[in-house]
């Protein structure tokens, strides 16, 4: 079966050794994908595809914690922004939410976004990602969907506090 967002896998066993081989042809790692200048539509489409792959795991009774969410293990098609995540079928007690937050934080702070576009979406994403305990993969996916459709997200950015003026 082909599951959208997951890299097709081939399982082989030879001499007692088990191997999983992932088909990632025509795709580049997220590290490579997010180099260069990134426009809003391309970035949000890639984010949506990565998050949709993780969230769709529930539909197939796949543990979300089975995904490797390191940027070098996430692959994207350069032209369509289609994601291919690696699912590693081993038992794990890790929590995917902090790993996804760290992944998106890394991407947001290492990507050069197009300066000619309105960048409020970047601020809204960073604000949500930095929310700590209330961060969830599903919440980030909902935010990205709203940002793609242009709906106001309600994510508030705290105003910058200025230092009080010195009195003489």
């Amino acid at each position: 079966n082909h599951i959208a967002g997951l890299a097709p896998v081939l399982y082989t066993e030879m001499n007692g050794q088990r191997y999983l081989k992932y088909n990632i042809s025509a795709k580049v790692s997220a590290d490579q994908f997010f180099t260069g200048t990134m426009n809003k539509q391309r970035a949000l489409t890639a984010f949506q595809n990565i998050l949709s792959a993780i969230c769709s795991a529930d539909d197939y009774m796949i543990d979300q914690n089975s995904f490797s969410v390191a940027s070098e293990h996430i692959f994207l098609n350069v032209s369509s922004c289609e994601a291919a995540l690696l699912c590693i079928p081993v038992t794990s007690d890790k929590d995917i939410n902090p790993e996804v937050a760290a992944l998106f934080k890394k991407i947001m702070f290492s990507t050069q976004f197009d300066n000619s576009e309105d960048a409020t979406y970047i601020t809204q994403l960073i604000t949500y990602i930095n929310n700590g305990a209330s961060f969830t993969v599903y919440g980030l996916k909902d935010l990205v969907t709203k940002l793609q459709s242009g709906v106001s997200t309600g994510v508030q950015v705290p105003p910058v506090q200025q230092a009080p003026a010195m009195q003489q």
Side-chain angles (χ1 to χ4, degrees):
N1 291 343
H2 175 73
I3 300 173
L6 273 66
V9 63
L10 174 66
Y11 171 80
T12 58
E13 189 171 340
M14 186 184 315
N15 299 328
Q17 295 287 331
R18 297 177 183 153
Y19 300 95
L20 295 174
K21 297 178 183 179
Y22 298 92
N23 182 0
I24 54 165
S25 11
K27 294 179 177 52
V28 297
S29 72
D31 284 336
Q32 294 171 314
F33 184 85
F34 288 103
T35 58
T37 303
M38 185 70 48
N39 68 30
K40 176 181 179 179
Q41 185 58 40
R42 187 168 170 79
L44 291 177
T45 301
F47 293 166
Q48 182 69 31
N49 289 339
I50 293 168
L51 294 165
S52 292
I54 295 169
C55 292
S56 71
D58 287 339
D59 297 340
Y60 296 94
M61 293 188 288
I62 298 172
D63 183 11
Q64 290 180 341
N65 297 319
S66 298
F67 291 110
S68 174
V69 290
S71 58
E72 62 271 10
H73 295 151
I74 295 175
F75 299 91
L76 295 147
N77 183 306
V78 174
S79 58
S80 68
C81 301
E82 177 188 358
L85 275 64
L86 304 184
C87 182
I88 304 168
V90 294
T91 305
S92 173
D93 55 354
K94 69 179 182 176
D95 181 11
I96 195 151
N97 287 313
E99 290 188 16
V100 170
L103 167 72
F104 278 89
K105 221 179 257 192
K106 176 184 175 188
I107 290 171
M108 297 300 293
F109 290 113
S110 64
T111 301
Q112 175 65 43
F113 292 97
D114 189 351
N115 289 332
S116 66
E117 296 180 323
D118 178 23
T120 56
Y121 75 100
I122 297 168
T123 307
Q124 292 173 334
L125 286 168
I126 291 171
T127 300
Y128 184 78
I129 292 166
N130 284 335
N131 242 344
S134 65
F135 174 89
T136 65
V137 174
Y138 290 100
L140 182 59
K141 182 178 180 280
D142 290 344
L143 175 60
V144 170
T145 301
K146 289 175 184 173
L147 290 171
Q148 277 185 307
S149 65
V151 174
S152 176
T153 61
V155 174
Q156 297 295 321
V157 179
V160 177
Q161 299 268 335
Q162 293 186 357
M166 304 250 315
Q167 294 182 358
Q168 294 185 5

